[in-house]
Amino acid sequence: MPTLRIALSQVNPTVGDLAGNAHLVRTWTRRAADAGAQLVAFPEMMLTGYPVEDLVFRRSFVAASKAMLSRLAADLAADGLGELPVVVGYLDADGPPQVSGDAEPGRGARNAAALLHRGAVVATYFKHHLPNYGVFDEDRYFVPGDMLTVVRIGGVDVALTICEDLWQAGGPFAGARQAGVGLVVNINGSPYELNKDDIRLPLVRRRAAEAGAAIAYVNMIGGQDELVFEGDSMIVSADGELLTRAPQFVEYLLVHDLELPAAGESAGAGERVADGLRVVRATVTGSLPAPAGPPAVGGTIEPVADEAEVWQALVLGLRDYVNKNRFPSVVLGLSGGIDSAVVGALAVDALGPERVVAVSLPSQHSSEHSREDAAELAKRTGLDYRVEPIQPMVDTFLANMSLSGVTVENLQARVRGVILMALSNQEGHLVLTTGNKSELAVGYSTLYGDSVGGFNPVKDVWKTLIWRLAKWRNADAVRRGETPPIPESSIGKPPSAELSPGQLDSDTLPDYDVLDPILIGYVDGDLGRDGLVEAGHDPAVVDKVLRMVDTAEYKRRQSAPGTKISMKAFGRDRRLPVTNRWREHG
């Protein structure tokens, strides 16, 4: 059986940076060549970044993608890498955009993969299954492909597929069996969700069985607006054995020697397989010598605990949002409470303490222990810590306006927001807001107050998970012989907005241990009132919580973006009308 040395390049592209992304391909192809690879694969839409959203409709952008692909093929050959076959994702089009008046049936923008060799594009493949759920709108942007591309490399037939092709039965993987391939390369832009890695491996194994072939799965890493990609690239044999698996959330070159069945006689051009796909074949290289040197064994990285996984996702999502948008630094309000403490620790881990400004904004209701906890976190992490008392500014408002009750509470939050935005304008920081998913769900926030900011690292993190993350981060610091960043008193004290004397979150909300399961069922699981009551939740509490969630939609619509870690984050995952009289009645 032939042996192919396969390299999977788990890298971090940036949307719209075609030149930078092409440079990444050249750099990592050189590393693959130095490792003796005979085939290297890069993620979905590597050249353009993913997802490009409505950039698809700009014909100039499509033309630039196609031109960069041809230039990349030539540059690889000029680099002395032309003999190494390279699979790379890009944006293609074989007709006008589907939204244009001159659109043609079955033609348009394509989510595509190309195989580059000897300075040329020798084969292309168009994604067949287009996801149209959750954060995906690919039916809006792309036309599905109707061919299965099979390339012969080193005497092995290799089929090219893209991301969602793996998640749907039939189609390219069933066609791959009928076409008699030995390997399916699947390039991905598969966003992170907690525990998705537990789903991914069984899925790859099912497709290997369906195709009767080994699968090389490569996924990108990095943050793109709300999305974060964790990698988790792998190779699985035809019989479902996990042969090698890359770590999560880091750029990585996974190199592994894979024994594969020799290709048989090719069927005639234009043969039809599953879903009516037309097989297109190309020969890239004939038989190849066995890979030089000792066998390449990629190794297997074991998955980490949930809290470690989420922390890495949040750090990477924040770091890339800040860096890719070229913000020099971030600023946040540091109250001494658990949410801002976690955001502060995340920011330091993501950017380093020298790029994080934390501001204590005490009022007359701010407790001494909260001020001390904020100062203690700053001391432990080394971030730039400042104190800006808000009471004189609040008093000025109250001297000129007759305000009382909740209005005064909201005023305090809005004064804090004004100060943070002023520092942002004056010094160029990105403002981080610190509201967790539980608070966003029930509207427990002040518009243009504590909700102010350009990015929210914990937007998709339930309050109960916030506590777990804080405890994990401190324990991880102890394990590594470092100072835990988050004061224990921030973790242990009852949560409070401290906007009025003796105020606690529990004055307004159910305990978070009661609240979060209801919210998870309603928001993430789309359960109605009856389903939640049947699950054992108190009917009166359910009615109160659902009423709060439904009436807060207008606030969420105005909230800052934040890293998605769950199956249904607020934003593109969950699209409900603001003007909406439907209610789950008790």
Side-chain angles (χ1 to χ4, degrees):
M1 296 176 70
T3 298
L4 279 183
R5 180 165 294 175
I6 298 169
L8 303 181
S9 294
Q10 179 175 291
V11 294
N12 187 351
T14 300
V15 165
D17 186 8
L18 276 68
N21 296 338
H23 180 72
L24 274 177
V25 173
R26 294 170 68 182
T27 299
W28 286 78
T29 298
R30 169 60 65 191
R31 296 181 185 180
D34 290 345
Q38 297 165 312
L39 171 65
V40 57
F42 289 86
E44 179 178 9
M45 298 194 78
M46 175 69 207
L47 278 189
T48 59
Y50 181 82
V52 294
E53 300 184 343
D54 282 12
L55 286 172
V56 166
F57 300 138
R58 295 193 190 175
R59 301 188 192 196
S60 59
F61 186 68
V62 176
S65 171
K66 295 168 72 173
M68 184 59 72
L69 183 72
S70 297
R71 178 179 169 183
L72 174 61
D75 286 345
L76 287 169
D79 292 342
L81 301 169
E83 293 302 319
L84 176 56
V86 177
V87 178
V88 62
Y90 72 107
L91 172 63
D92 202 340
D94 57 1
Q98 287 297 296
V99 296
S100 64
D102 56 348
E104 304 172 31
R107 294 182 178 273
R110 306 284 193 168
N111 184 333
L115 193 143
L116 312 180
H117 188 239
R118 294 180 179 173
V121 180
V122 298
T124 58
Y125 169 77
F126 297 153
K127 189 174 183 178
H128 178 63
H129 289 302
L130 301 178
N132 206 48
Y133 54 83
V135 299
F136 302 107
D137 290 308
E138 293 208 3
D139 270 344
R140 170 181 169 89
Y141 298 121
F142 302 115
V143 175
D146 60 0
M147 63 182 181
L148 177 67
T149 300
V150 178
V151 292
R152 185 161 293 181
I153 302 172
V156 176
D157 279 346
V158 180
L160 306 182
T161 61
I162 302 175
C163 202
E164 186 71 13
D165 293 332
L166 182 86
W167 290 81
Q168 305 292 332
F173 281 84
R177 174 182 284 274
Q178 294 171 294
V181 309
L183 173 67
V184 181
V185 172
N186 185 249
I187 64 172
N188 290 263
S190 180
Y192 170 76
E193 294 172 8
L194 178 59
N195 297 323
K196 193 173 186 179
D197 55 338
D198 296 333
I199 299 170
R200 186 178 285 127
L201 176 56
L203 176 69
V204 175
R205 283 173 165 154
R206 289 199 299 275
R207 292 296 166 261
E210 184 176 16
I215 296 178
Y217 172 101
V218 59
N219 191 24
M220 67 176 60
I221 70 139
Q224 171 58 31
D225 294 345
E226 301 99 325
L227 303 181
V228 64
F229 303 88
E230 89 270 32
D232 196 32
S233 304
M234 68 184 79
I235 298 175
V236 170
S237 69
D239 59 5
E241 180 185 359
L242 176 63
L243 301 175
T244 184
R245 191 172 195 174
Q248 296 173 291
F249 304 108
V250 294
E251 290 192 308
Y252 194 83
L253 187 70
L254 189 64
V255 183
H256 191 81
D257 287 352
L258 190 59
E259 286 192 358
L260 296 165
E265 291 296 321
S266 297
E271 63 184 297
R272 297 283 178 176
V273 291
D275 280 9
L277 294 173
R278 176 174 53 88
V279 177
V280 176
R281 295 181 182 268
T283 297
V284 178
T285 64
S287 60
L288 293 171
V297 180
T300 300
I301 304 298
E302 292 299 322
V304 298
D306 287 355
E307 293 82 5
E309 186 179 292
V310 169
W311 192 271
Q312 292 178 73
L314 297 175
V315 165
L316 180 57
L318 173 57
R319 178 187 298 133
D320 274 3
Y321 191 86
V322 172
N323 289 342
K324 290 181 179 182
N325 287 294
R326 298 176 178 172
F327 289 103
S329 51
V330 298
V331 62
L332 69 143
L334 193 62
S335 69
I338 187 64
D339 297 319
S340 64
V342 166
V343 171
L346 282 168
V348 169
D349 283 0
L351 305 170
E354 68 281 357
R355 297 177 67 191
V356 181
V357 177
V359 187
S360 172
L361 300 156
S363 75
Q364 63 179 343
H365 304 300
S366 299
S367 62
E368 188 62 32
H369 64 77
S370 290
R371 302 184 199 198
E372 292 172 354
D373 289 342
E376 178 64 19
L377 183 139
K379 178 181 176 182
R380 293 184 184 197
T381 59
L383 53 74
D384 180 351
Y385 181 63
R386 309 176 190 179
V387 179
E388 296 285 351
I390 69 168
Q391 197 60 47
M393 299 175 223
V394 172
D395 290 342
T396 300
F397 270 97
L398 295 178
N400 289 275
M401 298 181 71
S402 179
L403 305 175
S404 62
V406 174
T407 306
V408 177
E409 295 182 22
N410 290 339
L411 174 61
Q412 295 170 66
R414 291 189 176 115
V415 168
R416 288 173 172 140
V418 167
I419 292 172
L420 293 174
M421 288 308 303
L423 289 171
S424 171
N425 295 156
Q426 185 72 22
E427 301 176 6
H429 314 297
L430 171 69
V431 179
L432 301 183
T433 184
T434 61
N436 60 69
K437 190 174 183 179
S438 306
E439 293 173 350
L440 288 168
V442 296
Y444 194 63
S445 63
T446 301
L447 272 180
Y448 324 120
D450 53 301
S451 67
V452 76
F455 193 77
N456 182 353
V458 295
K459 180 177 183 177
D460 198 29
V461 183
W462 299 112
K463 182 75 169 192
T464 47
L465 180 54
I466 289 280
W467 275 305
R468 286 167 50 198
L469 289 174
K471 293 174 182 176
W472 173 84
R473 181 61 181 85
N474 279 1
D476 186 62
V478 171
R479 180 182 61 81
R480 290 184 282 135
E482 300 172 358
T483 301
I486 301 173
E488 285 300 324
S489 51
S490 289
I491 299 173
K493 64 187 174 188
S496 170
E498 293 192 333
L499 297 172
S500 62
Q503 184 182 45
L504 296 174
D505 287 8
S506 56
D507 298 338
T508 304
L509 304 176
D511 287 342
Y512 287 105
D513 286 340
V514 173
L515 176 63
D516 278 2
I518 296 174
L519 293 174
I520 291 168
Y522 190 51
V523 174
D524 289 357
D526 284 320
L527 286 177
R529 179 193 187 271
D530 293 345
L532 291 165
V533 172
E534 288 172 7
H537 300 295
D538 181 274
V541 177
V542 168
D543 290 339
K544 176 182 178 180
V545 170
L546 268 53
R547 185 164 55 251
M548 297 176 78
V549 173
D550 291 344
T551 56
E553 189 63 38
Y554 76 101
K555 288 187 177 183
R556 288 189 293 274
R557 190 68 65 90
Q558 300 177 68
S559 63
T563 303
K564 167 185 164 66
I565 63 163
S566 73
M567 63 184 294
K568 186 168 287 191
F570 290 127
R572 288 185 299 176
D573 262 339
R574 186 177 187 268
R575 311 178 197 186
L576 293 175
V578 173
T579 305
N580 172 21
R581 292 189 178 179
W582 170 256
R583 294 293 182 264
E584 295 283 341
H585 296 293

